[in-house]
Amino acid sequence: WGGDVVCVSVSAKMKQGINDLLENILVVAEVAELKANPQQVAEGVVVEAQLDKNRGPMATVLIQNGTLLPGDAVVVGDTWGKVKAMFNDKGKRVKQVGPATPVAI
């Protein structure tokens, strides 16, 4: 398509084009010089939020810059709170989360 928008044919069912997609993502990141500083205060995007019966309010967050630690304050719109625990994509507890890492808090 041109410009800074990458268009790659991908089929997860047929397992086609996944390597091309990953390669194009790396090329765009290199050309745009995308870099994150893990020494800063964490910034990220909430992907989804839910209320778990056992754990309480949960949010899946993608950290874009900085490092998130337990006890850090989190602000999302008008809502705020503290990070009590963090879980990776396998459900294991993690102590810190750096850039480009999804985590459930």
Side-chain angles (χ1 to χ4, degrees), residues 28-92:
V28 169
E30 186 176 320
V31 169
E33 296 182 7
L34 300 176
K35 297 190 189 313
N37 183 357
Q39 305 302 321
Q40 292 182 337
V41 176
E43 292 180 24
V45 175
V46 175
V47 178
E48 66 177 346
Q50 62 193 25
L51 186 58
D52 189 290
K53 280 196 256 180
N54 299 327
R55 296 181 180 169
M58 297 286 295
T60 303
V61 179
L62 179 60
I63 304 300
Q64 294 176 322
N65 201 8
T67 301
L68 187 64
L69 301 167
D72 284 354
V74 177
V75 179
V76 180
D78 294 337
T79 307
W80 61 273
K82 279 193 168 187
V83 177
K84 294 181 182 177
M86 299 184 294
F87 302 94
N88 65 9
D89 58 334
K90 296 178 175 101
K92 294 186 179 180

Side-chain angles (χ1 to χ4, degrees), residues 7-29:
C7 182
V8 179
S9 297
V10 177
S11 172
K13 286 185 178 181
M14 305 299 272
K15 297 181 181 176
Q16 295 175 343
I18 296 171
N19 288 334
D20 293 336
L21 176 64
L22 294 173
E23 184 178 315
N24 280 299
I25 290 172
L26 290 174
V27 168
V28 169

